[in-house]
Amino acid sequence: MKTVFSIFVICLLLFVSCGTEKEDKLYIDDEVDYDILFTDDTDEIFNDEDSLIEIDIDDSDFFSEDDLISDSDEIQDEEIICNYSDSDFCKNGYSFCLSNAVTQCEILYDENSCPYEQKLSVVQNCSDEGMNCFEVPESESLCDCTEGLINVANQCVDKFECPSYITTDETIKPLDTIASFNTLHLGWDNDKDFAGIACVIEHFDIVGLVEVESEYALQKLVSYLTGLSGEKWDYHISPYDVGRTSYKEYYGYVWRSNNITFEGSAGFYEEDNDEFEREPYAANFSFGDFYFTFILSHIVYGDSITERKGEVENLIKVYSQFQLIDEYVDDIIIAGDFNLAADDEAFTLIGFDEIINAIPASQKTSIGETGLSSAYDNIFLSAYYTTEYEGTSGILDFAVADYSDLRVSVSDHVPVWIKVKTSW
């Protein structure tokens, strides 16, 4: 079979009929997990002969070389320069054509054998016109998830419900909310309860996260959020972790893809004189008609309150720097774990540019052995600029059932949130 297949592919590449009238059809070796078909008149892709799907394609669906599946056992480099190609598509690192590059445009599978990215090629040559891969429209998904899994945006994910020990608040979920949450070393090998964390975060539309220790942790969290809500979630993580010592943290964001659009990173605060143990980080988002810069900060706890006050006093510089980055963006939100209550005199940020704290200074937000303790977490925004904030805010005390255990397995902080207006 493989010998016959190889001869057939070579014939197609050389545009030789091999003694029969040319039909431009190609069938991938039946030892792999899928078949793929190309014809002159249509582009068709199927998993088995009983489920044939016709696909309409256009130039907007082009993909680059990076999207190709590579298999070192399958690829044979030809000593032919791709003279007819202006790009590196279907070429190896030495600019040689891949003799069977067409076989690289196939269906990719995840661990659940569900096609999450489907592509096909239309003709078998090494020119830009002839070797572009096209994405199969999502509406033509071949995804059939096994029992216990659900298909969300062409991905098979575990479907589950919140455990009874997580206290939920159904009144929050219908609101348009922005939240902040210290997730307590999310990403360390510390038996974190991802199901519990997802049940907390799923209340909100977008959540800024501090104490993130790895990108994999955010990927895993998004998978849990998707399986819990039945909606697609996405994430963004700061480009590197920050901290003066060997202990460092990332900043992260997770959001409902249907409600929130990621508009790009705004970068880290550019320090003048190493003002922060972990310099704040910002990203831009749109929430309906509301476009805002979301700054995250995790103030050092340090050996004394003096260290905390010193960093907090510099938050006014953080706000000012990001406010000046884009003259068209005035809506700045600063959130996170500040290790200090908002009524401390060090918060010179409050009052500047009509900035307010959305969470009352008396509201405790960290979790002790038997209940809530210190008022460390907050959200700051300008009442002058951020007119989309209507004054509704709060916390989610998820650990009422068992503060002692959940402060370790989920987090020793509760999320803080605000409701915003997303259209007018």
Side-chain angles (χ1 to χ4, degrees):
M1 176 63 184
K2 289 186 176 179
T3 302
V4 173
F5 171 73
S6 300
I7 294 173
F8 192 49
V9 172
I10 293 172
C11 289
L12 287 172
L13 292 173
L14 297 176
F15 297 96
V16 175
S17 65
C18 294
T20 61
E21 183 178 351
K22 181 186 173 196
E23 296 183 16
D24 272 358
K25 291 187 176 181
L26 173 65
Y27 292 87
I28 299 303
D29 193 327
D30 58 10
E31 291 185 7
V32 297
D33 292 335
Y34 38 78
D35 299 311
I36 193 165
L37 169 67
F38 310 99
T39 70
D40 280 337
D41 301 325
T42 60
D43 299 295
E44 300 163 326
I45 184 168
F46 60 99
N47 272 11
D48 57 61
E49 294 181 358
D50 296 326
S51 57
L52 186 62
I53 296 174
E54 183 171 327
I55 304 302
D56 294 324
I57 57 179
D58 57 54
D59 292 344
S60 66
D61 293 321
F62 290 175
F63 278 72
S64 67
E65 183 186 22
D66 292 337
D67 291 315
L68 298 179
I69 306 172
S70 61
D71 187 337
S72 58
D73 294 329
E74 292 289 321
I75 295 177
Q76 300 176 7
D77 297 338
E78 297 269 7
E79 296 293 322
I80 303 172
I81 302 298
C82 292
N83 295 321
Y84 300 101
S85 179
D86 294 327
S87 71
D88 288 334
F89 188 88
C90 82
K91 294 186 291 186
N92 64 15
Y94 300 98
S95 295
F96 298 142
C97 296
L98 302 178
S99 62
N100 66 339
V102 65
T103 66
Q104 306 309 302
C105 304
E106 298 168 351
I107 304 175
L108 307 182
Y109 286 80
D110 67 8
E111 66 272 15
N112 296 311
S113 297
C114 174
Y116 65 90
E117 193 169 2
Q118 306 168 18
K119 298 183 178 68
L120 62 157
S121 177
V122 288
V123 289
Q124 298 77 46
N125 62 54
C126 204
S127 70
D128 287 337
E129 291 183 342
M131 269 306 303
N132 281 307
C133 284
F134 301 88
E135 184 177 23
V136 176
E138 187 172 313
S139 60
E140 303 290 354
S141 169
L142 303 178
C143 185
D144 185 16
C145 301
T146 58
E147 185 177 358
L149 303 176
I150 60 172
N151 176 7
V152 180
N154 257 3
Q155 294 186 1
C156 289
V157 295
D158 290 310
K159 174 64 177 176
F160 70 96
E161 297 181 355
C162 287
S164 59
Y165 53 79
I166 297 293
T167 302
T168 59
D169 185 346
E170 297 301 316
T171 66
I172 298 176
K173 294 182 180 182
L175 307 178
D176 293 329
T177 50
I178 298 171
S180 172
F181 189 24
N182 180 328
T183 50
L184 184 62
H185 304 314
L186 184 68
W188 280 3
D189 185 15
N190 53 358
D191 297 322
K192 292 289 285 186
D193 182 355
F194 277 85
I197 297 170
C199 287
V200 174
I201 291 176
E202 196 261 340
H203 284 78
F204 313 105
D205 292 285
I206 178 171
V207 184
L209 307 175
V210 301
E211 286 201 27
V212 176
E213 308 297 346
S214 73
E215 183 172 8
Y216 171 73
L218 290 187
Q219 294 170 341
K220 185 174 180 179
L221 176 58
V222 163
S223 178
Y224 273 86
L225 285 165
T226 300
L228 172 64
S229 65
E231 301 176 60
K232 184 172 174 18
W233 286 69
D234 209 341
Y235 77 92
H236 172 66
I237 190 169
S238 59
Y240 53 87
D241 51 358
V242 289
R244 296 193 188 110
T245 65
S246 59
Y247 171 72
K248 301 180 186 299
E249 300 174 8
Y250 293 91
Y251 294 105
Y253 307 83
V254 292
W255 61 86
R256 295 179 191 272
S257 300
N258 289 340
N259 298 356
I260 303 292
T261 301
F262 175 65
E263 302 289 354
S265 169
F268 285 96
Y269 167 69
E270 296 182 5
E271 298 179 297
D272 294 325
N273 191 29
D274 195 22
E275 298 98 320
F276 294 93
E277 167 80 19
R278 296 172 288 266
E279 55 267 37
Y281 179 77
N284 296 318
F285 298 89
S286 55
F287 193 170
D289 295 327
F290 179 32
Y291 188 104
F292 61 100
T293 297
F294 195 174
I295 304 171
L296 294 177
S297 176
H298 188 191
I299 297 299
V300 65
Y301 188 81
D303 295 327
S304 70
I305 194 172
T306 302
E307 290 184 65
R308 291 172 244 170
K309 286 176 177 284
E311 289 198 358
V312 166
E313 288 173 348
N314 282 297
L315 288 173
I316 193 170
K317 295 166 62 177
V318 175
Y319 173 86
S320 298
Q321 185 177 109
F322 284 105
Q323 186 64 271
L324 293 173
I325 288 178
D326 189 337
E327 62 179 322
Y328 298 106
V329 180
D330 296 319
D331 296 315
I332 305 288
I333 294 174
I334 303 181
D337 175 5
F338 300 93
N339 279 311
L340 205 62
D343 58 359
D344 192 283
E345 61 184 8
F347 278 101
T348 54
L349 177 71
I350 298 176
F352 176 78
D353 226 1
E354 296 190 27
I355 292 174
I356 61 172
N357 53 300
I359 309 302
S362 59
Q363 175 63 64
K364 296 177 179 179
T365 62
S366 64
I367 301 176
E369 286 288 339
T370 59
L372 300 182
S373 54
S374 304
Y376 286 163
D377 304 84
N378 221 306
I379 299 176
F380 300 94
L381 68 169
S382 171
Y384 174 70
Y385 285 122
T386 315
T387 55
E388 289 76 13
Y389 174 57
E390 298 177 326
T392 302
S393 63
I395 69 165
L396 175 62
D397 187 359
F398 63 86
V400 174
D402 189 349
Y403 287 110
S404 180
D405 286 343
L406 294 181
R407 71 187 296 268
V408 176
S409 61
V410 176
S411 178
D412 57 350
H413 290 252
V414 299
V416 294
W417 58 270
I418 59 173
K419 175 183 178 297
V420 295
K421 182 172 66 175
T422 61
S423 62
W424 48 86

